[in-house]
């Protein structure tokens, strides 16, 4: 049995999967990133979800635990030691959740994956196993481009449009309308006093990207996002020496799931400037599928098991998300 975990900055999925690829259980809970919760808080979330999934004292053959906020070797070591104490699996692998996106988006076992969710992160894996990692600590490590950054840029542009410091933009109307407020200043005040949680600026990312086709200010934010994605891909393939190879660049995460064909086309154009053989792949499979596939890889499961878990776990996630919306 495989214990698969994908934990991000907004939600966490846990799945139990048979060696034949059958989905035995699936549970979803809140964010589990150690960056936000600390190791103790992270483990509390995982413990609750593992119990909800019904592991019930059993020991899985392999656990694949892939979490946002696991970026440095010492973080991997600390998490692995803590999980080993719980005895959930005979063998446990830990890593960043972007590895789940890579495995969900390709069968090759290598390539470049860029996650655009609440934040942004990237991993690169060469055919020989060499890796490129990025710290993903936010502004202090030069990161920009997740949903939070795009949404905050939209709110800032709306505020500057309102008071004349910046160019006029449709975001001046669209941003407050999203929150049922009358103006960007009212949104800012509501966030300042805690009536609107600051984290909800994530919700503005689709608003900004949707306005980009007809608004120069929103378009400039979209173009910065494209540039950041292309920069991560360029850095990865250059450091791995794969500029002239056929490399699949997988994009995933909430921001990419709803990406327009126009946005994806701009990313593709940027990738072609790096190397003519770079190919963009947007994964439609949720990252928990990638975590489960890595677990099946570890036990030597064949293509039939892999195809089964892709189908069954994707359906399970889709069913849960429909219930959440409803």
């Amino acid at each position: 049995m495989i214990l698969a975990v994908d934990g991000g900055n907004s939600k966490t999925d846990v799945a139990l999967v048979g060696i034949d690829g059958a989905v035995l259980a699936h549970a979803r809970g809140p964010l589990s990133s150690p960056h936000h919760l600390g190791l103790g808080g992270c483990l509390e979330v995982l413990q609750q979800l593992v119990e909800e999934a019904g592991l019930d004292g059993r020991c899985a053959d392999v656990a694949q635990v892939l979490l946002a906020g696991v970026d440095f070797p010492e973080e991997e070591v600390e998490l692995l030691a803590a999980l080993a104490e719980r005895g959930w699996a005979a063998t446990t692998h830990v890593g960043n959740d972007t590895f789940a996106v890579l495995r969900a988006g390709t069968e090759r076992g290598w390539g470049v994956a860029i996650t655009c969710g609440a934040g942004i992160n990237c991993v690169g894996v060469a055919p020989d196993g060499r890796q490129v990692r990025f710290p993903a600590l936010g502004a202090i490590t030069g990161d920009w481009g997740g949903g939070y950054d795009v949404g905050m840029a939209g709110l800032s542009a709306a505020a500057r449009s309102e008071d004349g410091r910046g160019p006029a933009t449709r975001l001046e109307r669209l941003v407050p309308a999203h929150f049922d407020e009358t103006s960007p200043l009212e949104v800012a005040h509501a966030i300042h006093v805690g009536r609107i949680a600051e984290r909800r600026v994530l919700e503005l990312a689709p608003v900004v990207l949707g306005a980009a086709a007809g608004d120069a200010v929103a378009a400039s934010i979209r173009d910065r996002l494209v540039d950041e994605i292309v920069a991560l891909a360029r850095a990865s393939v250059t450091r791995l020496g794969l500029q002239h190879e056929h490399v699949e660049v997988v994009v995933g995460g909430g921001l990419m799931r709803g990406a327009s064909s126009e946005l994806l086309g701009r990313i593709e154009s940027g990738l072609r400037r790096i190397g003519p053989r770079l190919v963009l792949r947007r994964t439609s499979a949720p990252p928990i599928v990638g975590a489960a596939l890595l677990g099946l890889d570890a036990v030597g499961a064949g293509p039939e098991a892999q195809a089964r878990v892709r189908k069954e776990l994707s359906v399970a996630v889709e069913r849960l998300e429909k219930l959440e919306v409803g």
Side-chain angles (χ1 to χ4, degrees):
M1 179 173 60
I2 307 300
L3 169 62
V5 179
D6 169 69
N9 290 310
S10 58
K11 64 181 182 304
T12 302
D13 283 304
V14 169
L16 299 180
V17 176
I19 302 301
D20 60 356
V23 175
L24 308 176
H26 173 233
R28 171 169 288 186
L31 67 88
S32 55
S33 169
H35 282 181
H36 295 290
L37 303 178
L39 181 61
C42 166
L43 292 170
E44 287 180 11
V45 172
L46 297 185
Q47 181 71 49
Q48 179 179 344
L49 290 173
V50 167
E51 291 176 359
E52 185 179 336
L55 191 59
D56 296 330
R58 293 177 291 168
C59 181
D61 297 282
V62 172
Q64 283 285 346
V65 182
L66 305 177
L67 304 176
V70 179
D71 297 294
F72 291 93
E74 61 267 28
E75 293 171 334
E76 293 180 346
V77 170
E78 188 178 26
L79 177 61
L80 185 59
L83 292 174
E85 291 180 358
R86 281 158 172 76
W88 292 341
T91 303
T92 301
H93 303 279
V94 303
N96 186 267
D97 62 331
T98 308
F99 286 104
V101 172
L102 178 60
R103 185 62 183 88
T106 178
E107 299 293 350
R108 304 174 75 184
W110 63 277
V112 175
I114 300 166
T115 301
C116 286
I120 191 168
N121 201 353
C122 176
V123 298
V125 180
D128 61 8
R130 289 176 297 120
Q131 294 183 2
V132 167
R133 302 281 296 274
F134 296 86
L137 299 179
I140 61 174
T141 49
D143 307 319
W144 191 94
Y148 180 87
D149 290 333
V150 172
M152 186 60 76
L155 175 56
S156 298
R160 294 174 67 84
S161 173
E162 180 184 18
D163 63 23
R165 287 176 295 162
T169 171
R170 291 172 54 207
L171 296 174
E172 182 182 336
R173 173 180 56 83
L174 296 173
V175 166
H178 177 79
F179 293 112
D180 292 324
E181 300 288 345
T182 59
S183 70
L185 180 59
E186 286 298 315
V187 175
H189 181 262
I191 292 174
H192 176 66
V193 301
R195 183 162 55 82
I196 295 176
E198 183 175 328
R199 185 171 177 80
R200 288 192 63 196
V201 299
L202 280 165
E203 299 170 15
L204 294 174
V207 175
V208 174
L209 296 178
D215 185 273
V217 173
S220 69
I221 299 171
R222 174 206 60 202
D223 291 346
R224 183 179 180 188
L225 173 62
V226 171
D227 290 344
E228 291 293 327
I229 291 171
V230 172
L232 285 166
R234 181 179 62 250
S236 297
V237 298
T238 300
R239 289 165 61 182
L240 293 171
L242 300 176
Q243 305 95 308
H244 305 295
E245 302 299 324
H246 175 216
V247 181
E248 294 181 339
V249 178
V250 179
V251 293
L255 204 56
M256 290 294 104
R257 285 179 66 183
S260 66
S261 57
E262 193 270 344
L263 174 60
L264 295 174
R266 288 175 179 270
I267 297 171
E268 281 186 306
S269 296
L271 294 179
R272 283 196 293 270
R273 291 194 292 271
I274 300 170
R277 301 185 68 195
L278 269 63
V279 178
L280 181 67
R281 300 274 188 256
R282 175 173 60 175
T283 177
S284 59
I288 186 63
V289 170
L293 285 167
L294 286 169
L296 290 175
D297 291 342
V299 298
E304 289 185 1
Q306 294 177 6
R308 182 174 182 179
V309 81
R310 275 192 181 276
K311 179 179 179 180
E312 291 190 9
L313 195 46
S314 294
V315 169
V317 170
E318 183 180 1
R319 184 184 302 118
L320 182 63
E321 290 178 343
K322 285 182 178 178
L323 290 173
E324 289 174 344
V325 172

